[in-house]
Amino acid sequence: MKIATYNVWNETKGIGNRFEQILEEIRNVNADLIALQEITPQFYQDFLSNMSEYPYSEFGKYTNENEGLAILSKYSFANCMFLHTDKNYKNSCALNVLININNIRVSVTNVHLPWDSIKVKEEQIVAIDKFSHEQSALADYFIVLGDFNCGVNSSVHRFMIGEQTIYGNEAKPYWYEVSSVYAAVNGQELLPTLDCINNPRWKGKESTYAPENFDRIYVMDIRNGYRFDRVELFGTEINPVNNLCASDHYGVMADIEFLKK
């Protein structure tokens, strides 16, 4: 299964060109399922929901913003849940779908943690992990992906991979982060997805951000096992017409093989 995540950047600058740029990036990566962040209702209704490559889609709009989360899929959804509307899960910015691939049940949760509060980020990641573990009877495999608005040195990442607790909670089973694992196994450098130095979308913006790996794909450590055949960034191409990338983030794509017997 080829799975991807992409923060498309809800920003009006260059929007006339960016619609087509974003759609081209989505088409080119050709994922079986792609999780998208910062999606406006208009962009979802006018463009994404009409993409013939993806017969199935789901959108959840935040209550206090004109944007939300979307998932496009080549596989039908057995169930969908927008955690943002449920206080039991801290009204987390997360959208979950359950899909069935050749009798393998997969839970996929699209996440966009808030940028401006580590406290809220920690509360939401604990709630999202709790939600995933509560689905143990509903799926064989579990994937959490999206824009986590924090790097691999953060408490959020360390919590997910089982290296620290948050408020006395632990992720158990914990999660593998596919870009980190793939880079380590293949002797490669972990590349940033929010690159304010090399991505021209950041040109002219005053920023104290160092390049960071904010956009990630986690798979739960469970008995059935996975294999990562390929992990790559996309959305890094600079359009010769406007000399810009499609978004201020790069996307992440992973080919994941489910090893269920």
Side-chain angles (χ1 to χ4, degrees), residues 4 20 33 40 43 48 66 74 81 84 88 92 137 145 147 150 156 159 167 173 182 188 209 213 215 218 227 250 257:
E20 286 306 320
L33 181 147
T40 64
F43 187 46
L48 297 178
N66 191 41
K74 296 179 181 180
M81 181 170 177
H84 184 65
N88 292 319
S92 296
L145 74 171
D147 177 5
C150 53
V156 168
F159 169 79
Y167 309 129
Y182 188 82
Q188 299 174 357
Y209 288 119
N213 184 274
D215 305 81
Y218 293 89
R227 182 164 61 222
Y250 303 141
E257 182 179 355

Side-chain angles (χ1 to χ4, degrees), residues 56-67:
Y56 308 102
S57 65
E58 184 69 16
F59 173 70
K61 179 186 173 298
Y62 304 140
T63 56
N64 56 347
E65 296 180 66
N66 191 41
E67 67 175 58

Side-chain angles (χ1 to χ4, degrees), residues 141-143 219-220 222 224-228 256-259:
Y141 289 89
F142 300 85
I143 297 170
V219 296
M220 190 185 291
I222 55 175
N224 296 318
Y226 307 81
R227 182 164 61 222
F228 314 138
I256 301 175
E257 182 179 355
F258 304 121
L259 302 179

